[in-house]
């Protein structure tokens, strides 16, 4: 699974998350690009779509 980076510049420098889509499991995986050893989060496709729709308002 290949993660894509999303960068946002904040007061403390760049804040980055990485997102990967797993078509085999119908899940979206999100992790902190600065701390890849820490566990990431996994969302069902529908939950991720709801989050993106809400965040885009």
């Amino acid at each position: 699974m290949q993660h894509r980076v999303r960068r946002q510049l904040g007061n403390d420098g760049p804040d980055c998350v990485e997102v990967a889509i797993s078509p085999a499991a119908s899940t979206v995986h999100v992790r902190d690009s600065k701390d890849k050893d820490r566990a990431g989060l996994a969302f069902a496709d529908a939950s991720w779509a709801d989050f993106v729709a809400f965040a885009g308002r």
Side-chain angles (χ1 to χ4, degrees):
M1 193 169 27
Q2 186 171 9
H3 284 80
R4 290 184 258 168
V5 177
R6 171 64 176 116
R7 298 181 194 281
Q8 178 69 36
L9 292 177
N11 293 336
D12 298 326
D15 297 320
C16 305
V17 294
E18 297 181 357
V19 178
I21 299 171
S22 173
S26 297
T27 56
V28 177
H29 299 265
V30 181
R31 67 182 181 188
D32 183 347
S33 63
K34 294 180 185 177
D35 190 0
K36 295 179 184 177
D37 293 332
R38 182 179 236 170
L41 302 172
F43 299 92
D45 285 350
S47 296
W48 182 253
D50 290 344
F51 168 75
V52 170
F54 177 78
R57 293 182 191 170

